[in-house]
Structure formats: structure tokens, C-alpha cells
Amino acid sequence: MAAPSSDGPTGPLHPQRRLRHLVGIFGRNFTPIEHQGSSLPFHSYFTLSPVDGPPFYSSEVLPDTVNPTWREFDLQPKEGVNLGSSRLTVHVWGRCVDGSQILQKDDYELMLKWDVDLYGLEFLGYDLDSFAKYHHAPDSLVFHLAKCGFFHAPPCEASPSNDAERGPAYRCVDRAKVKLSYNKATLIRINTLQRTIAQTEANTQASIARSAECARARQVDIDLRSAVEKMRVVIALYKDEEKRKKKANGDERARLEALKREQQTAHAIAQESHAALAAGMQELREMTGKLNERRGLLWQVQSMVSIRQTRIILELSQIFPMQQMKNQNYTICNLELPNKSDFSGADEEAVATALGYVAHLTFMIAKYLEIPFRFPMQPMCSRSTIKDQISNTGERDRTTFPLFTKGSPRPQFDHGVFLLNKNIQQLLTHCGLAAVDPTNTIPNLYLLVMHYMSLNNQAPTRNVHPEATQLVMGCALPTLP
């Protein structure tokens, strides 16, 4: 058995075998998957994929051949495919197909799976005819690498067909014609040559040793010269660095002097600012004292105003006395006013007069408390009215509502009573009170009066601000009416 030639692209001129160099694959001696007796044509194609990865190339389907020569291809970079790798997996798919069948590639069956390392292949030749003389094993593959030639997985058996192709190593020689190759003189010459070669080798080794010693000495001299030159360069660099540092130090000193001058200026400004701050703090303390005096006076005046308002409201409650009857209704100036705004069956003039008293009392309380009503009132005893300038009643000219029923529509009268209750509820909210019932007119007003009565009882026990006491004792307050 003769192995393929190892000369050619496997040498130093073509040391690399990468996936990007692969341009073609050929099949030889394929065995169809169907049984031996099948006479159907055999179709096949192949796919390329990384080791344990998905396919990235699929060839065309070649019909009716067990030695397919698929067309060459040019692999392009793809995501997940390393064209610089030397390893790949080749899958060969085949099937015996009837001429009337139309099959997709998914219908073919796996026939071969080769995990290939391109560096492990043997060189066959530069063209297709160079490996035609080899008898390939069944189900073999031949790989074509660009500018490298054709390669095959070892071993490949050569089968020379005649003596001309066999060469000298395979010629048959008659044993009777064989004779000795050397005589005594030849052996002496060979021995002499061997001694000469040994002596030459010894001289060569000595020359090599002397040359190596000279080379080492020269290298030492070169290293010393290089070290000297390096030290000169380092010294020059240090000198340049020293000059740069001196210049930087001079600049830094100048900057420090400038900073000192700025600091002195800032210190003088700070002293002036500190003096101004001290003067300002003294003025602030004086103004704070005056403010406290003003606050004491204000507090005293507000306290006196509050006391006076309370007393006025109590005097108003005596002018318009309110009492609770046995039937839970309330009277004002001895005029009964039903609760819940239910005036059915009551005397119209008595109700109008009672509502006029309530409106008058409410109006006077709001006046002394300085509270503006949302719904202004005009107290006129039994002909009092109230205005609604907020709600949209549907009638632009109708904003005044009566608090009497005589000669007035009942809906307008009811709306006027509702607005009166809203004003009373506003006074309660101002004093922090909650209405018993928004529709109870006199009870809510009575609650407000009782609140100010309790404030009047607590007035003598209130704490007086110390500064306000000194201010009151130091100055004469105006006499309240």
C-alpha cells in the first residue's frame, strides 16, 4: 500500500487550513440507504455546521449518483460561525427517489456524519485527476481547500495498474543476478570518509564554539554600550525633569505669593464685614425689642377688642332675648319661631317679625365681629330681606329674597330663610362651632350666644402677657365705650 504524497500545500508555504479556505466537497463510493435490490436512483446533498452547532450551509441535491461532485461554494461570515476555525461537522443526506416523487430536503435521511479537523487530512493532489487512481473506501469524502489542493481522511489505498506506474521500488529482480554492492577498497574509502567527516564535524564544532564565544563577547560589548547609552539618556531625562521641576517650583512660589496677597485683602474685607455684622446684630436686637413691645401692645389691644366684642354680643342677646319653650321650640323677644323651617299653621306676621329680629341680631353680631356675609341682609323688622348674588336662580333680576310670606311667593320665602340659616352657619364656623341642624334657625343662633357667654366667664382667668402688662402699666390705654 502506498500513502499519498505529503509534498505540496502542507509545507511552510501553506501552513494554515481554516474553514474559510474550504471551497468544495466531493463524495466517493456512497452506499445507498435503501436495500441492495433497489434499482431507484440515489439522490444526496450535504450540510456544514460548527461542532455541536446548527447548519450554516446546505448544498444542492445531486440526483442519480453515488460519486457526487457538488458545485464549489464561497463561505461568507455569519453570526455564530467562526471561519477561522479548523473544525466542522459534515452531514450527508441521501435517499433513493422515484422519478415521479417530489421531495423536500427535510424528507431525506442522514447517511453520514463526519466531525472533521482540517489539519488531520492528508494531501491527495492539486486537481481532480491527481486522486483518480486511488480506491476510496465506501462512504468517503474529499475536501477541496483553496490554493492548497485536495485532501482526504487517511488512509487512502493506491492501486497501480501497470509496471510503468509502479516505479523502481516495485520492479521484480532475478535473485541470481543479485551481487554484493561493496568490495574491500570501497569499504576502506568509506571508512576514511567517515573519519574525515568526523574530523570535519569536530573542527566545525570547535569553530562553532569559537564563533559562539566571540558572539557572546560581542554581545556583552553591545550590552555594555547599550547600558552606557541608556544611562546617558536617563541622565538627560533627569536633567530635563530637574529643569521642569525648578520652573514649576518658581511658578508655584509666584502663585503662593499671589494667594497670600489675596488672603490679606480678603482678611481685611472680612474684618470690615465682621464689624458691619456686629453693628447689624446690635440694630437687630434693638429692632427685636421694639417688635416685642409692639407685639405686646397688639396682643393687649386684640385682647381688649375680643373682650369688648364678647360684651357687646351679650348685650345684644339681652336686647334680643332667646328662650327655649317646653315644645322644644325657641322664642326671640317672646315671638315663637318653629324649628326645621316648618311654618305651616303659624301666624305670618309673628313669623316675619321673629325672622326680622333674628336677621337684625345676626347682622349686628357680624358687624361687631367684622365678618362679611356671603348673603347680605337688610334687617327691617317684619319686612327684612336677604340677597343671593352667588347662586344661579334662573332669574337674573331676582336676587333679593323676602323673609316674610305676606305678598311674597312661598318658594322665595323658603329660599330667603335658607340663606339666613347659611349666614348663621357662617358665624358658627368662624367661631369653630358646628351647627346642631342647618335648618334650626334660633337654636344655632342661641348656640353662638352661649359660646360668647362662656368666653365672658373665662375672661378674668386668662393669662396676660408679661410685656403687655408692663406696657399697660407704663402707658394710658384709651377708655372703651
Side-chain angles (χ1 to χ4, degrees), residues 171-185:
R171 294 184 181 276
C172 296
V173 181
D174 188 0
R175 192 172 186 83
K177 296 181 180 179
V178 176
K179 62 180 180 179
L180 296 176
S181 301
Y182 304 102
N183 53 25
K184 183 177 181 180

Side-chain angles (χ1 to χ4, degrees), residues 76-297:
Q76 300 296 328
K78 293 183 179 180
E79 184 177 357
V81 179
N82 182 13
L83 297 182
S85 175
S86 63
R87 299 185 63 193
L88 72 156
T89 301
V90 182
H91 294 83
V92 179
W93 309 80
R95 184 169 178 176
C96 291
V97 182
D98 188 1
S100 62
Q101 293 179 330
I102 299 177
L103 299 179
Q104 301 296 328
K105 287 187 175 182
D106 294 340
D107 298 328
Y108 285 76
E109 300 179 8
L110 180 62
M111 187 181 74
L112 291 178
K113 178 182 178 182
W114 276 25
D115 292 332
V116 181
D117 189 341
L118 298 178
Y119 284 103
L121 301 178
E122 287 188 355
F123 178 69
L124 294 178
Y126 291 104
D127 50 34
L128 289 173
D129 296 335
S130 63
F131 63 87
K133 61 183 178 179
Y134 294 104
H135 289 184
H136 298 276
D139 300 328
S140 297
L141 293 177
V142 178
F143 298 86
H144 182 196
L145 301 181
K147 299 181 181 180
C148 295
F150 296 87
F151 295 82
H152 190 272
C156 292
E157 296 182 357
S159 179
S161 59
N162 50 51
D163 291 342
E165 295 179 355
R166 291 177 184 272
Y170 290 91
R171 294 184 181 276
C172 296
V173 181
D174 188 0
R175 192 172 186 83
K177 296 181 180 179
V178 176
K179 62 180 180 179
L180 296 176
S181 301
Y182 304 102
N183 53 25
K184 183 177 181 180
T186 302
L187 292 175
I188 292 173
R189 286 197 301 272
I190 291 174
N191 191 17
T192 303
L193 288 174
Q194 289 178 347
R195 288 197 303 271
T196 304
I197 291 171
Q199 185 63 34
T200 303
E201 289 178 352
N203 295 335
T204 302
Q205 293 295 331
S207 299
I208 291 173
R210 289 192 297 271
S211 299
E213 186 64 27
C214 292
R216 283 194 295 271
R218 184 175 179 81
Q219 185 64 36
V220 169
D221 183 62
I222 292 174
D223 292 342
L224 291 175
R225 292 177 181 273
S226 176
V228 171
E229 188 65 26
K230 187 182 296 184
M231 290 303 296
R232 290 176 180 173
V233 173
V234 170
I235 291 171
L237 291 176
Y238 277 131
K239 289 182 178 179
D240 294 340
E241 184 69 15
E242 183 182 5
K243 293 180 181 178
R244 188 182 65 80
K245 289 288 182 66
K246 287 182 178 180
K247 185 178 181 302
N249 289 337
D251 296 340
E252 189 67 20
R253 290 192 185 94
R255 190 177 68 85
L256 289 176
E257 292 296 332
L259 288 176
K260 286 181 180 179
R261 290 191 295 271
E262 292 177 1
Q263 185 179 8
Q264 292 174 356
T265 304
H267 182 67
I269 295 174
Q271 288 181 345
E272 295 176 359
S273 301
H274 187 269
L277 178 62
M281 292 297 294
Q282 181 63 28
E283 184 180 359
L284 177 61
R285 285 191 291 270
E286 294 177 359
M287 295 301 292
T288 303
K290 293 181 181 181
L291 177 62
N292 290 333
E293 294 177 1
R294 295 288 183 178
R295 283 179 178 175
L297 179 60

Side-chain angles (χ1 to χ4, degrees), residues 323-332 335-340 342 344 346 440 442-443:
Q323 294 179 355
Q324 185 177 8
M325 302 177 63
K326 294 181 180 180
N327 59 356
Q328 302 301 322
N329 288 339
Y330 283 81
T331 63
I332 181 169
L335 293 176
E336 181 180 357
L337 186 65
N339 295 331
K340 305 291 184 182
D342 184 11
S344 57
N440 291 341
I442 296 182

Side-chain angles (χ1 to χ4, degrees), residues 376-390:
M377 297 184 299
Q378 186 175 4
M380 297 175 60
C381 198
S382 62
R383 292 297 179 267
S384 301
T385 57
I386 188 169
K387 292 184 179 181
D388 183 4
Q389 299 175 347
I390 300 176

Side-chain angles (χ1 to χ4, degrees), residues 444-461:
N444 290 333
L445 191 59
Y446 183 74
L447 177 63
L448 180 64
V449 172
M450 294 303 295
H451 170 71
Y452 278 97
M453 186 177 294
S454 63
L455 292 179
N456 183 59
N457 295 333
Q458 296 174 3
T461 61

